[in-house]
Amino acid sequence: MSVRVRFAPSPTGYLHIGGARTALYNYLYAKALGGTFILRIEDTDIERSNAEYEKLQIDDLKWLGITHDEGPDKPNPKYAPYRQSERSAIYQKYADQLIEKDLAYYDFCTEEELEVMKARAEAEGRDPVYEGKWKDPANKVEALERVKAGEKPAIRFRAPKKSYTLKDKVKGDVTYPANMVGDFVIVRSNGLPVYNYCCVIDDMLMEISHVIRGEDHLNNTVRQLMIYEALNAKLPEFAHVSLLIGSDRQKLSKRHGATSVNLYRNENYLPEAMCNYLTLLGWSHPSETDIFSKSDLFSIFSLERFSGHAAMYDLEKLKWVNGQHLKKMENEDIIKMLSGMPEATGFNQQDPAWKNTAVTLLKQYADFVSDIPKKAEEMIFGEHIEMKNELMEILGWETTPKIIDYLHGEMNKITTPFVTEAELTSWMDFAKKDLAIKGKPLFQGIRAALTGQEHGPDLKLLIPLTPVSIIKKRLSLLSKTKQEKDG
Ligand code: GLU
């Protein structure tokens, strides 16, 4: 059986984190099984659907690298069109067949009549189910005449009064009791078909083999099972993936922070990191690793590793995952990204060799590409020295002023804007041999003198990146502080 999966967004807003996760699971499943990943646009809710949202959602999917094999822009003539708004004739054709077989019926009840039915059921403590006259096949002749005369009724599906059991790949057996749902509308009186109906017709005609979607659709599934049965269509496999929740264990919503993909995109999150983190929300890697790229999963993704429990969306973990991906990125790609960022103007003005070394060093301290110029300001270009106790202690050692004086003298000889690693090594050697300073006083003294910090990265990387003018200012400031302290 060939694997055909689909992501079927409604273009009524931006691409949501949960939607992106569903798209990703379908995409990965298609990749893992050599199947086809289809993008279908579910735009039957004409009031809320908007072509602009369709475009933005596709754009975000593209940014995430979740590319479809078939869709409105890549039609396979056997299955096209891929927008539900362009498939009305198809839905009508199947609705006519269902009516013909008395599996559905025309319903001329007005809103008011339906309200009365509902109120009566409520008063009697029953679930509100349809019990209008049109349910009775005896009224079919009258119904057909009224349709012929130009009236526009709704089309209602006759829900069988029996229980259904869904064999879900994630949830296991899900049993829906008989009479859980009453007869339901599949085509509204304005001619627009409803989601549960279109979804089945499309999944059937598009030969979808696996429906992987959010657990919030489990309640819809019983209606869909009924329609499959009425159409005598083969059921796809279903996998309903667990809900996304916030730290308060409530369904993930805007209250918990940014829930649309475009906001993360604007904040410089890496698409590979987003995909990595989204995959982990409800699925686990067979070797329990947390960091991977999409393509690492192509050979191992399976429906067996889904968790049945709700997945907690944790922004801190996402940031950490982003940092891990940043550290694995090529410097060249990071530099390219920074070149388009206004906040990196200072960074971008440096020469290519400087940028390369700076990225090697600074990405170790960053979670986001945009952290790199900030870290450069802080760790390389910072002139201010915070006179913390630990630093004052180092300044108080008798060896430190000797190091400061010596380095000051050396710096004054330098005519280039930066020192080299070789110069730094020669100063270390001099302090060790000629000034006879060793161990902690040597290493901490030199670090404090050149950086104004007690801790930090490897000096061999950091110092050749720091402008001589800044190192000189730090040395002067430290001498002054020491003199003031000594009074
Ligand atoms: N249009 C539905 C949604 O956006 C798709 C549900 C499904 O995958 O069947 O939630």
Side-chain angles (χ1 to χ4, degrees):
M1 176 193 62
S2 69
V3 166
R4 290 179 53 84
V5 289
R6 83 309 192 271
F7 175 52
S10 302
T12 53
Y14 295 103
L15 180 65
H16 186 271
I17 288 290
R21 183 187 65 155
T22 302
L24 183 59
Y25 287 154
N26 280 284
Y27 165 86
L28 289 172
Y29 194 60
K31 287 284 178 206
L33 280 107
T36 306
F37 173 50
I38 295 140
L39 177 70
R40 182 171 76 220
I41 304 297
E42 301 208 325
D43 56 352
T44 50
D45 182 347
I46 43 170
E47 252 141 54
R48 293 174 60 227
S49 297
N50 179 324
E52 186 59 18
Y53 282 131
E54 175 186 322
K55 193 181 148 300
L56 292 172
Q57 291 204 21
I58 294 176
D59 219 41
D60 281 343
L61 288 172
K62 213 183 205 172
W63 175 71
L64 288 166
I66 304 174
T67 43
H68 50 276
D69 305 305
E70 289 175 23
D73 55 339
K74 290 182 195 166
N76 175 339
K78 185 171 172 200
Y79 303 108
Y82 292 83
R83 270 187 209 97
Q84 290 188 331
S85 59
E86 294 164 18
R87 298 173 64 82
S88 312
I90 300 172
Y91 304 132
Q92 192 56 51
K93 177 179 131 191
Y94 284 94
D96 290 346
Q97 285 179 12
L98 290 173
I99 289 178
E100 178 115 4
K101 294 183 186 154
D102 284 336
L103 296 167
Y105 52 88
Y106 291 117
D107 175 19
F108 296 85
C109 283
T110 60
E111 278 302 320
E112 293 72 35
E113 285 169 322
L114 294 171
E115 280 303 321
V116 171
M117 265 180 237
K118 209 169 137 193
R120 197 182 320 137
E122 265 164 26
E124 292 168 13
R126 292 181 284 116
D127 283 339
V129 289
Y130 181 82
E131 49 194 15
K133 76 174 247 196
W134 305 104
K135 187 180 172 76
D136 184 350
N139 295 318
K140 191 171 175 184
V141 178
E142 183 189 344
L144 289 174
E145 271 165 17
R146 283 176 69 168
V147 169
K148 222 186 216 160
E151 276 189 66
K152 302 255 178 280
I155 298 175
R156 201 173 274 276
F157 183 79
R158 200 182 291 284
K161 293 191 180 345
K162 60 176 204 179
S163 83
Y164 285 81
T165 297
L166 167 73
K167 295 208 167 304
D168 193 85
K169 288 277 184 197
V170 180
K171 299 282 159 192
D173 283 2
V174 181
T175 298
Y176 303 94
N179 297 328
M180 186 181 145
V181 292
D183 296 357
F184 56 93
V185 170
I186 53 173
V187 182
R188 296 185 191 90
S189 55
N190 61 8
L192 292 174
V194 305
Y195 157 71
N196 278 313
Y197 173 63
C198 303
C199 176
V200 173
I201 300 289
D202 292 347
D203 285 344
M204 173 182 78
L205 295 177
M206 292 180 179
E207 297 184 288
I208 298 300
S209 60
H210 295 75
V211 170
I212 307 169
R213 64 184 171 196
E215 174 186 302
D216 45 337
H217 286 291
L218 262 183
N219 272 345
N220 287 322
T221 311
V222 63
R223 292 177 179 80
Q224 299 181 11
L225 293 177
M226 291 173 177
I227 299 173
Y228 275 107
E229 190 178 56
L231 294 167
N232 215 358
K234 185 172 179 294
L235 276 186
E237 299 277 3
F238 286 93
H240 284 93
V241 300
S242 53
L243 215 60
L244 291 185
I245 54 174
S247 53
D248 55 359
R249 307 204 65 80
Q250 300 299 311
K251 189 174 175 207
L252 190 68
S253 72
K254 284 197 180 129
R255 253 174 335 114
H256 299 104
T259 50
S260 44
V261 170
N262 71 327
L263 294 173
Y264 292 88
R265 188 174 166 182
N266 294 342
E267 283 185 29
N268 300 312
Y269 278 81
L270 299 169
E272 272 295 349
M274 289 295 295
C275 287
N276 182 162
Y277 182 63
L278 291 176
T279 306
L280 288 173
L281 291 172
W283 187 85
S284 61
H285 194 286
S287 51
E288 302 290 327
T289 58
D290 269 359
I291 301 299
F292 41 74
S293 66
K294 279 196 295 303
S295 57
D296 294 339
L297 303 181
F298 289 173
S299 56
I300 52 172
F301 190 81
S302 73
L303 300 182
E304 276 67 54
R305 299 201 60 85
F306 278 113
S307 152
H309 302 293
M312 194 176 296
Y313 188 72
D314 177 355
L315 196 56
E316 290 310 311
K317 172 117 191 231
L318 169 59
K319 285 181 186 166
W320 176 79
V321 170
N322 202 74
Q324 298 306 306
H325 279 264
L326 179 67
K327 287 164 191 51
K328 291 209 298 193
M329 263 174 89
E330 296 293 338
N331 287 358
E332 204 186 317
D333 296 328
I334 296 178
I335 292 168
K336 210 181 282 163
M337 279 181 79
L338 284 167
S339 69
M341 290 186 189
E343 64 265 46
T345 311
F347 178 96
N348 290 330
Q349 281 161 358
Q350 303 293 335
D351 73 39
W354 185 94
K355 286 196 257 193
N356 188 43
T357 318
V359 168
T360 303
L361 173 70
L362 299 173
K363 69 181 175 186
Q364 302 311 320
Y365 297 85
D367 281 337
F368 295 93
V369 173
S370 53
D371 286 345
I372 290 179
K374 282 189 219 146
K375 289 283 165 197
E377 285 306 318
E378 207 178 290
M379 295 167 66
I380 299 177
F381 298 111
E383 289 180 16
H384 171 75
I385 297 179
E386 206 184 321
M387 299 296 170
K388 286 185 262 175
N389 288 346
E390 288 144 291
L391 181 64
M392 292 308 284
E393 192 193 318
I394 299 170
L395 279 186
W397 297 339
E398 58 158 332
T399 47
T400 309
K402 288 185 202 160
I403 293 175
I404 293 178
D405 285 348
Y406 163 65
L407 288 176
H408 225 158
E410 289 304 304
M411 294 304 288
N412 283 334
K413 289 187 217 156
I414 308 260
T415 52
T416 51
F418 293 97
V419 299
T420 61
E421 194 187 320
E423 280 164 332
L424 177 67
T425 309
S426 75
W427 301 337
M428 289 275 203
D429 289 345
F430 185 88
K432 202 177 340 181
K433 291 194 193 106
D434 298 69
L435 301 180
I437 306 174
K438 285 192 287 287
K440 205 169 150 187
L442 171 72
F443 296 110
Q444 290 220 281
I446 289 197
R447 175 178 296 282
L450 294 174
T451 68
Q453 305 279 334
E454 329 69 76
H455 310 288
D458 185 357
L459 288 182
K460 289 201 175 116
L461 281 172
L462 182 64
I463 296 306
L465 290 169
T466 312
V468 167
S469 57
I470 288 178
I471 300 179
K472 280 188 186 167
K473 280 190 195 150
R474 289 177 188 157
L475 287 163
S476 303
L477 192 65
L478 290 167
S479 305
K480 211 169 115 220
T481 308
K482 169 77 180 142
Q483 279 158 18
E484 280 167 8
K485 186 173 171 257
D486 292 346

